[in-house]
Amino acid sequence: MKNIFIKTMLLSLLVLSMVSCKKYLNINSDPDTTQNPSNSSVFPAMLSGIPRGVQFDARYMSKYVQNLLASANGNADTWDRHGFLLNSDASGDIWRQTYFGLGANLNYIIKNGVDKEQYDYAGASLVLKALMFQMATDYHGEIIFNEAFKEGTYYFKYDSQQVVYQGVDSLCRLADQYLQNAQTKTVTMGNSDISFNGNITKWRKLNYSILAKNFHRLTNKAGLYKADSVIKYCDLAMASVDDDFVIPFDASKNDDANFYGTYRNNLTLFRQSNFIVKLLDGTTIANTGLPADRDPRMAQMLTRSQDTTNGNGGYRGVDPGNGDPFSALTGTYAVNSANWINARKRVSVVWGDSIYANPSSAVFTLSAGKYLFRDKAVMPVITYAEMQFIKAEAAYRMGQKTLAHTAYLNGINAHFDFINKSYSANRGNASLFTIAPISATNRSKYLASNNVKSATTITITDIMLQKYIALWGYGFLETWVDMRRFHYIDADPETGDQVYKNFSLPSSYYVYNNNKPVYRVRPRFNSEYVWNLEQLKTLGATNLDYHTYECWFSKP
C-alpha cells in the first residue's frame, strides 16, 4: 500500500499540473510522460484509493466502535480512550484521499469523460466523488465542499454538514444522469473497472446506496428524516451479495496486497474485542451464553485462544466466564464455571487461531489469515447486507414491523452469503483456505435460535446488533455513524436497555476529552492546521476537545 500511496500521489500531481500549468515555449513537456492520460489509466488508481483511506484510518476508528482494541499488555491506548494524536496526520487518510488522492483526478476523469462522451467513466467517477465526500463529512463533520479544488485559492472555507449532505445528493443525481446515458452507449470502462467490470447497472445501484446512506443519517432530525426515501433507495441499491461494492487485491506484491493481510503486517497490535465476542457467543443477543446459541459465523470471523492462563487479553476478546468461543466446554472450562480463572482467555492475533504473532510478515502465504484479514481478501466498501439493515431500521421507525423483520432476516442471510462468498473462488483462491463455508444446516439452526427475533418481538436493538456483526471488520465508518446516532449508550424505547447492549464507554477518557466521548475526527493536521488555520478557528477546531463536538447529523 506504500507504493500505491506513491503512485496515487504521482497521478494526483500529474493531473494537477495539467489543470493548473501552461506550456512555456513548448519545452516543458516530458516526452516520456503521458501529458493527457486516458481515463482507463487513471480510473483503477481511484478505485484503489477508496480502501486506502478507510483501512488506514480504521486502525483508529475501529477502536472507537470496539471492532478491534489495542493489545499492549491489556491496557487501553489513546484511541481506546476516544483520543487522538496532537500535531499528527494519524487518522487523516480519509481526508487525504478525498482532497488529494482522488480529488483532482476524479475531476479530470469526469471532464474528460463528458468531453469524449465516455459517460460510464464520468458517472462512475461522480459516484466515487459523492462517496468520498459522504465519508469525509461523516468522519470529520464540517468539511470543505464548495471551495474544494478551487484554483487560485490558498485558504478554503468550510461548509456545514447539512450543506455537504445536500451536495452529495446533487452529485449522486448528476451521476445517475450520466450513467443512464452510458447505458445507451458502448461501455468504455471494461477491464479498468476492477470492481464491476463496467457493469453500469451495478454502478447505478452503488449510487443509490450512497443516497440511502445520505438520507438514513438524519434519524434524529424529526423535520428532515424521511424513512420512505431511505427504503426507496435501499430497494434501488444492491439486490444480492453479487452487487456488493468490493475492492479486490491480487497480492502479487506489496502494491496490490490487502492492507490487513499478513504480508503488510499492519494489525499486529490489534485484537478482537470482547464486545464482538459476546455478540457472537450467545451472551448478548440470545442472552444465554449457551453453546447452542453460539453464532456459526464466529469460526470464520474471529480467532480462537489456546488453553492458557497467561496473557492479559481475557476482557479484550474471550470472556473468562464463557471460556473458548468455538466449542462446548465442560468441567473446569464450562460456561459460567466457578473456575473461570482457568478458562481459555488469551486473545490471539486476528490472522489465526491460537497464534500471538504474525505468521508470515513480508512473505506471501495466501493461506495465512482469516476472513477479511488475508493478503488476497477483498475490501468491502458498501454491501447488500448493509442496505438491508438500513432498510430494516427505516421500516421499524415507520412502524412497519413486518417489513422491518423481512429486511432484518435478509440482512442476516446476506451476511452468511457474504462470508461464504469470501471463502470461495470468487473472492480469492478457495483451494488455499482451510475454513469451509457455513453449512445450510448450521445457518438454519442459527435462524431458529434465540439470537433471531420474530416480527412481533423485533426491536431496534436486534437490528443494530445484527448490523454491527455484519459490518465488523470493514464497515467501521457506518458503524461509527450508527453509534453516534444513538449517542453510544441511548436506550431502546421498547426495552429500556441500551441499544448497543453490553457496550461500555471508556472508564477513563483521553486527557483532552473533558470526560466526553469522541464524535468527530479533527481535520488532517498537515493540510489544515499548518495551512488553513484561520478557517479552523471559525469552527472551534483549534480547541483541544474539538473531537468531542457532536456532529450535526446526530443532533436532534
Side-chain angles (χ1 to χ4, degrees), residues 463-520:
I463 294 168
M464 300 314 299
L465 293 183
Q466 286 289 351
K467 183 181 180 184
Y468 184 100
I469 293 171
L471 269 61
W472 186 84
Y474 75 90
F476 311 98
L477 183 52
E478 178 72 16
T479 298
W480 193 30
V481 167
D482 288 342
M483 285 196 160
R484 286 176 289 167
R485 286 191 299 113
F486 289 99
H487 305 97
Y488 295 101
I489 56 173
D490 281 356
D492 185 322
E494 282 201 46
T495 66
D497 296 327
Q498 274 186 204
V499 169
Y500 287 97
K501 187 178 176 184
N502 287 335
F503 182 88
S504 298
L505 287 167
S507 57
S508 174
Y509 285 104
Y510 185 56
V511 62
Y512 298 132
N513 284 51
N514 293 329
N515 205 35
K516 296 178 293 184
V518 64
Y519 272 94
R520 65 175 72 213

Side-chain angles (χ1 to χ4, degrees), residues 273-470:
S273 70
N274 194 34
F275 184 64
I276 184 62
V277 171
K278 285 187 172 182
L279 287 176
L280 294 171
D281 73 1
T283 300
T284 297
I285 301 178
N287 202 32
T288 64
L290 296 174
D293 286 321
R294 286 180 178 154
D295 194 319
R297 292 174 287 184
M298 201 174 204
Q300 269 79 8
M301 296 170 62
L302 304 185
T303 58
R304 172 170 44 187
S305 300
Q306 69 183 127
D307 187 4
T308 178
T309 59
N310 297 325
N312 293 289
Y315 73 100
R316 288 187 177 279
V318 180
D319 183 0
N322 288 324
D324 185 283
F326 298 115
S327 59
L329 302 177
T330 58
T332 58
Y333 300 109
V335 174
N336 298 325
S337 167
N339 298 313
W340 64 266
I341 195 169
N342 295 318
R344 302 174 183 179
K345 64 180 183 178
R346 189 182 180 194
V347 187
S348 55
V349 294
V350 298
W351 294 302
D353 296 339
S354 301
I355 58 174
Y356 302 93
N358 190 325
S360 58
S361 177
V363 176
F364 280 116
T365 305
L366 298 184
S367 60
K370 290 187 90 171
Y371 195 39
L372 300 173
F373 310 113
R374 306 193 313 267
D375 293 329
K376 201 172 182 178
V378 298
M379 172 58 186
V381 182
I382 303 179
T383 63
Y384 170 60
E386 178 182 351
M387 287 297 106
Q388 288 302 298
F389 286 117
I390 288 175
K391 178 180 177 179
E393 182 183 350
Y396 182 88
R397 289 179 181 277
M398 291 180 69
Q400 297 186 20
K401 278 198 169 186
T402 299
L403 180 61
H405 185 255
T406 298
Y408 157 82
L409 290 179
N410 287 343
I412 295 172
N413 277 298
H415 189 233
F416 274 82
D417 292 340
F418 172 88
I419 287 175
N420 285 350
K421 189 168 184 176
S422 295
Y423 284 93
S424 74
N426 292 322
R427 291 183 179 169
N429 189 333
S431 64
L432 295 175
F433 307 134
T434 58
I435 300 179
I438 301 171
S439 69
T441 298
N442 285 337
R443 183 193 300 219
S444 296
K445 285 181 179 178
Y446 180 76
L447 293 173
S449 74
N450 293 312
N451 290 284
V452 180
K453 303 306 189 294
S454 69
T456 56
T457 61
I458 189 174
T459 68
I460 197 69
T461 295
D462 300 311
I463 294 168
M464 300 314 299
L465 293 183
Q466 286 289 351
K467 183 181 180 184
Y468 184 100
I469 293 171

